[in-house]
């Protein structure tokens, strides 16, 4: 499978905690119903249960992009600041591209 076009943040169905589904990583089976076919780089390679679903949009077309105008160094600095008081298992990932960094911060904001 070709993977996702972009990073998505979804709530885990059991713990209800936000989970970032990263570009290029496989989509866990529990999240397949939350990902639309057009979220994949090649929608024909989406799981069969997802193919044929209509594009319903994300419902957030009018919402502002979180962290719009914030540079990558500023995003990394914010993550570093938040990670200072955290244990190893609670660290926010600080690697990846801008969408990955924003998704990590948005997931942390919703905690």
């Amino acid at each position: 499978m070709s993977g996702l076009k972009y990073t998505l943040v979804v709530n885990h169905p059991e713990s209800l905690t936000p989970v970032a589904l990263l570009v290029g990583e496989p989509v866990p089976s529990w999240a397949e119903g939350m990902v639309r076919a057009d979220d994949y780089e090649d929608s024909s390679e989406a799981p069969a249960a997802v193919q044929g679903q209509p594009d319903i949009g994300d419902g957030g077309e009018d919402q502002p992009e979180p962290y719009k105008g914030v540079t990558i160094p500023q995003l990394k600095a914010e993550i570093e600041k938040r990670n200072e008081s955290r244990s190893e298992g609670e660290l926010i990932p600080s690697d990846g591209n801008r969408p990955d960094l924003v998704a990590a911060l948005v997931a942390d904001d919703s905690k």
Side-chain angles (χ1 to χ4, degrees):
M1 187 171 298
S2 59
L4 297 172
K5 290 183 205 176
Y6 36 75
T7 298
L8 296 174
V9 178
V10 298
N11 287 332
H12 191 281
E14 293 175 7
S15 65
L16 300 178
T17 57
V19 177
L21 305 178
L22 303 176
V23 174
E25 295 290 321
V27 175
S29 59
W30 59 262
E32 287 180 353
M34 300 176 194
V35 179
R36 299 184 317 251
D38 64 331
D39 292 329
Y40 289 90
E41 287 178 355
D42 182 355
S43 60
S44 68
E45 294 184 14
V50 175
Q51 290 183 16
Q53 289 183 353
D55 179 10
I56 57 173
D58 64 7
E61 288 83 4
D62 296 330
Q63 296 177 358
E65 176 193 343
Y67 299 99
K68 184 174 184 172
V70 180
T71 66
I72 290 175
Q74 291 170 325
L75 293 170
K76 289 185 176 189
E78 176 63 22
I79 290 171
E80 186 176 316
K81 177 181 161 189
R82 294 184 190 192
N83 282 343
E84 286 177 359
S85 61
R86 295 180 184 219
S87 66
E88 187 72 28
E90 298 175 330
L91 294 177
I92 303 169
S94 61
D95 56 344
N97 57 24
R98 187 179 192 290
D100 294 338
L101 298 173
V102 169
L105 286 167
V106 168
D108 188 61
D109 290 342
S110 66
K111 287 184 179 178

